[in-house]
Amino acid sequence: MSTGKFYGIGVGVGDPDMLTLKAIKAFKELDVVVLPEAKKTEGSTAYEIAKEYLKEGVETLFVEFPMLKCVEARKEFRQKNAEEIIAHLNAGKKVGFLTIGDPMTYSTYVYILEHLDGIIPVETVPGISSFSDMSSRFNLPLVMGEESLKVVSLNGETEIVEEINSADNIVFMKVSRNFNKLRAGLEATGNLENVIMVSNCGKETQEINFDLTKIEEENIPYFTTLILKKGGINQWKKFIS
């Protein structure tokens, strides 16, 4: 019978000061730290955020989650990664999966949960998502009063104008992949000036953009999030330097 335990730990989006006390306490329990990476040997942003708080001598396990177009190929990688993690859990180890942002918001962590049988104890430690970090960092309200909020992960099939028309405030994530299409949708709906776009939020390489007209899609970093406030954003720029 397994005595291991599986943790999913959100580490925020770049600033180690945004780690929660609960996350830091969880780090001290771990025998193995699982570090997802998009490409083998590419390294883990989550590890760079958390490393100074990890227990000395903790075992690190890098697992690859490549961004493949083939759904079945992605499932094979997830299955392989889950089997490797389960082997550690069945050995009685406490295993923590570190994830950028929040574990339950567009995170690869949930693809490991899908493969667990429910017998192994699981604890998920929430983290600060990119849009929550942006909102507080720049003193920009996400929602007020009766306003609605939608979070959209951009892909080639996203109906951008329809998404814009269906909410008061919209968070667009994974912007780098379909920026030109997003910009066209914002322009078509008269919202090109109602946005803030931030790349590498909380890192030394952080970039803030309000004017999207001259940005080229190929130059946008992967960690980029855009917030659209249809009620206008100019009144909040006074807090943003």
Side-chain angles (χ1 to χ4, degrees):
M1 179 67 70
S2 169
T3 56
K5 182 175 179 179
F6 187 51
Y7 296 78
I9 306 172
V11 300
V13 292
D15 183 351
D17 286 347
M18 303 302 284
L19 283 166
T20 65
L21 285 174
K22 194 173 181 67
I24 293 171
K25 288 179 180 177
F27 293 160
K28 305 306 179 188
E29 299 293 324
L30 303 180
D31 301 304
V32 180
V33 176
V34 181
L35 302 163
E37 52 186 358
K39 295 179 183 177
K40 202 68 177 175
T41 71
E42 183 180 72
S44 165
T45 301
Y47 178 68
E48 294 302 316
I49 296 170
K51 61 183 181 183
E52 70 176 283
Y53 297 101
L54 295 175
K55 189 168 63 178
E56 187 174 351
V58 68
E59 182 178 352
T60 55
L61 174 62
F62 286 86
V63 291
E64 187 179 7
F65 286 89
M67 299 176 190
L68 304 172
K69 290 185 178 179
C70 175
V71 173
E72 292 305 315
R74 291 203 301 265
K75 287 181 177 178
E76 288 180 11
F77 269 93
R78 295 167 187 168
Q79 174 76 39
K80 173 181 171 295
N81 293 336
E83 289 174 355
E84 195 167 1
I85 290 169
I86 290 170
H88 285 285
L89 292 166
N90 286 338
K93 296 180 180 178
K94 294 181 179 178
V95 180
F97 189 107
L98 304 195
T99 182
I100 296 294
D102 179 75
M104 293 301 182
T105 307
Y106 297 123
S107 169
T108 49
Y109 165 65
V110 299
Y111 299 127
I112 302 300
L113 284 188
E114 287 181 328
H115 290 87
L116 300 187
D117 56 13
I119 297 175
I120 296 170
V122 174
E123 180 176 346
T124 302
V125 179
I128 298 173
S129 62
S130 60
F131 51 90
S132 293
D133 188 288
M134 283 173 58
S135 178
S136 295
R137 186 176 297 275
F138 303 117
N139 302 297
L140 177 73
L142 271 180
V143 285
M144 299 171 66
E146 303 301 320
E147 292 180 350
S148 58
L149 172 68
K150 175 181 276 189
V151 180
V152 177
S153 176
L154 277 181
N155 61 64
E157 305 301 318
T158 304
E159 297 290 344
I160 292 176
V161 171
E162 184 176 317
E163 298 289 2
I164 291 174
N165 288 335
S166 63
D168 299 311
N169 305 283
I170 302 104
V171 174
F172 288 100
M173 303 183 73
K174 302 181 181 177
V175 170
S176 61
R177 294 190 302 198
N178 291 279
F179 173 75
N180 290 336
K181 184 179 174 183
L182 173 59
R183 180 169 55 190
L186 292 166
E187 187 171 15
T189 58
N191 284 292
L192 203 52
E193 296 181 353
N194 296 330
V195 301
I196 177 173
M197 187 172 84
V198 180
S199 303
N200 297 325
C201 191
K203 302 177 183 175
E204 292 182 354
T205 54
Q206 174 179 282
E207 297 177 18
I208 308 168
N209 285 290
F210 296 104
D211 181 1
L212 307 184
T213 58
K214 297 180 181 177
I215 296 176
E216 297 181 358
E217 182 173 290
E218 57 269 26
N219 294 330
I220 299 176
Y222 175 75
F223 292 108
T224 297
T225 299
L226 182 147
I227 296 177
L228 164 62
K229 290 189 69 65
K230 290 163 64 177
I233 204 167
N234 283 333
Q235 64 269 44
W236 305 108
K237 288 182 179 177
K238 59 187 176 184
F239 298 117
I240 303 171
S241 58

